[in-house]
Each structure stands twice: as structure tokens, then as C-alpha cells.
Amino acid sequence: MKLDARTIATAALPLLDDGGVDGLTMRKVATALGVQAPALYWHVKNKRELLDAMARVLFVSAVDGLEAPRRGTDWQDWLAELAGRLRKTLLRYRDGARVLAGTNVSDDSMWRVTELTLRTLEDAGFSARDVTRVFPLLLHFTIGYVIEEQARTGVDYPDGNPYQADRIGRSVDAERYPLTARMVGDLFAADPDAEFDHGVRVILAGVRATYDLGPGN
């Protein structure tokens, strides 16, 4: 088997399910590949470079096959689909969003998607300055949402998930915080898919309202 950064990263991603990012070690990755750990350092010098390589694999997978909007496709629908693709990919692995957050995704796919997104926004009527604000806004929301979504699985808590609505509900003093006590079930038992879609749509609606796009946009 020929080792390279992509092969190593691909082998490392499933290992996240046992210990997450914090439990991932070069030794575990080497064992999964059937090699000695020093063999990995020819291709990834440390865990930081390993995470960068893993983020690259995640991102490439998320945007595989992505094309420019078809004629008549609303820019908001296209961006919502892009955000949904990324979230779906990050959710495949424990701490998937933590892997992508803050990493250096050095791959042509990143620049291709960036180009498609900037061009889509310019075609919708955004100024050159504004297009550079919208894409990061949606990207950061998506990554941050999934980080929180994955944390709320409670997988790191040996005594059960503390984010369960019934457990949180029991910890709220209803006399002091009556609204919280009444609504805590809705706050923590919401459908994450629906909440994500709602968040994306609110952001995009806010973007439309904030920037003057001209008639028809």
C-alpha cells in the first residue's frame, strides 16, 4: 500500500468514532494502516498536519459534484444546498466539524467552490466587497452549528447525555425561571435538521435584507 497524506487521512477519519479528535493519535492511525508510526511522519509531520489532511478529505467529499446554479435557481436555494452538503458530510464522523474548524484546506476544490460561490453572489447583484462577507458567514454558521450539534450527543459523558431535555428540565428552578422551565423542552428537543434549515434561511433572508441587490434579486 502506498502511503500519502490522503490515504492516511482517510484511514484516520473512522477512528474519530472512538475517542473523537482528542483521542486520535498517530499511533492509532498507523495501527489502522498496518504500519509503524514513524512511517506516517514522511507524509504528515504532526497531528496538526493530520487534521489538515482530514479536513481536506471531508471538504472534497462534501462538494463532490457541486456545479453552478442551474438557470432559474435562486441563489439562496443554491447556498442552502451547499451548507446542507457540508453539514451532512461533517456529521458522518464524530467531531467532524471540529476537524474542519480552523484547519488549512489546501485543495483546488476549495478554490473552485469559492469561485462558484463568489460568482453566484455577483450574478445575484452583490458588490465585490459584499460577496466576500456572505460566504464566510454561512460557512462559519454551518461549522459552528455542527460543532454544537455533535457536542449535544453527550458521547463524552460517561453518566449519560446531560443535554437531554428531561434532564435539563429537572435542573431548572421553575419559580425563578418560569419561561425557561416551560420552554426548555422546545429549546433542547428540537429537530436538528429543521433547526439547521431554519438558521440558514434566517441568515440568507437577513443577507437579502441587508444588502441592496436591486430589482429581481
Side-chain angles (χ1 to χ4, degrees), residues 1-4 7-8 43:
M1 176 181 56
K2 180 181 178 181
L3 285 181
D4 55 27
T7 299
I8 294 168
H43 309 282

Side-chain angles (χ1 to χ4, degrees), residues 138-153:
L138 191 61
L139 179 65
H140 297 161
F141 168 77
T142 301
I143 295 173
Y145 182 94
V146 180
I147 287 176
E148 182 69 15
E149 182 179 6
Q150 292 185 313
R152 289 192 181 190
T153 62

Side-chain angles (χ1 to χ4, degrees), residues 68-69 75 78-79 115-126:
W75 63 270
W78 189 84
L79 287 177
E115 182 74 11
L116 285 174
T117 304
L118 297 180
R119 188 172 300 279
T120 297
L121 291 169
E122 275 201 337
D123 290 346
F126 287 86

Side-chain angles (χ1 to χ4, degrees), residues 5-7 9-10 13 51-67 82 85-90 92-93 96 99-100 103-114 116 139:
R6 184 178 183 280
T7 299
T10 301
L13 283 167
L51 292 174
D52 285 348
M54 293 166 67
R56 178 179 180 179
V57 171
L58 284 173
F59 189 83
V60 169
S61 176
V63 300
D64 182 45
L66 180 71
E67 298 294 342
L82 174 57
R85 276 172 166 259
L86 183 57
R87 173 177 173 259
K88 183 177 179 180
T89 300
L90 297 179
R92 291 177 187 169
Y93 305 99
V99 169
L100 187 60
T103 46
N104 176 29
V105 180
S106 179
D107 190 89
D108 186 67
S109 64
M110 171 63 80
W111 307 124
R112 179 177 180 276
V113 170
T114 301
L116 285 174
L139 179 65

Side-chain angles (χ1 to χ4, degrees), residues 4-212:
D4 55 27
R6 184 178 183 280
T7 299
I8 294 168
T10 301
L13 283 167
L15 302 179
L16 291 171
D17 292 335
D18 182 21
V21 169
D22 296 330
L24 183 66
T25 65
M26 300 290 275
R27 185 178 299 278
K28 288 182 179 179
V29 178
T31 298
L33 288 167
V35 300
Q36 297 296 313
L40 304 185
Y41 291 101
W42 289 98
H43 309 282
V44 287
K45 296 177 182 178
N46 48 44
K47 189 173 180 178
R48 175 71 274 161
E49 288 196 5
L50 173 61
L51 292 174
D52 285 348
M54 293 166 67
R56 178 179 180 179
V57 171
L58 284 173
F59 189 83
V60 169
S61 176
V63 300
D64 182 45
L66 180 71
E67 298 294 342
R70 294 177 180 272
R71 183 180 297 275
T73 300
D74 186 82
W75 63 270
Q76 293 179 95
D77 292 336
W78 189 84
L79 287 177
E81 179 190 354
L82 174 57
R85 276 172 166 259
L86 183 57
R87 173 177 173 259
K88 183 177 179 180
T89 300
L90 297 179
L91 286 174
R92 291 177 187 169
Y93 305 99
R94 177 177 171 182
D95 286 350
R98 285 184 62 195
V99 169
L100 187 60
T103 46
N104 176 29
V105 180
S106 179
D107 190 89
D108 186 67
S109 64
M110 171 63 80
W111 307 124
R112 179 177 180 276
V113 170
T114 301
E115 182 74 11
L116 285 174
T117 304
L118 297 180
R119 188 172 300 279
T120 297
L121 291 169
E122 275 201 337
D123 290 346
F126 287 86
S127 70
R129 175 176 173 79
D130 292 338
V131 297
T132 61
R133 294 173 171 172
V134 177
F135 182 40
L137 179 66
L138 191 61
L139 179 65
H140 297 161
F141 168 77
T142 301
I143 295 173
Y145 182 94
V146 180
I147 287 176
E148 182 69 15
E149 182 179 6
Q150 292 185 313
R152 289 192 181 190
T153 62
V155 68
D156 292 323
Y157 293 87
D159 297 327
N161 188 354
Y163 295 103
Q164 289 179 334
D166 58 341
R167 294 184 65 175
I168 294 177
R170 290 195 296 269
S171 68
V172 178
D173 186 332
E175 291 188 2
R176 297 180 64 190
Y177 312 112
L179 287 178
T180 302
R182 178 159 54 88
M183 299 180 185
V184 70
D186 293 329
L187 287 170
F188 289 92
D191 177 353
D193 295 335
E195 289 302 305
F196 177 78
D197 291 342
H198 175 73
V200 168
R201 291 298 177 179
V202 167
I203 289 172
L204 294 177
V207 166
R208 181 187 284 275
T210 299
Y211 300 108
D212 181 13

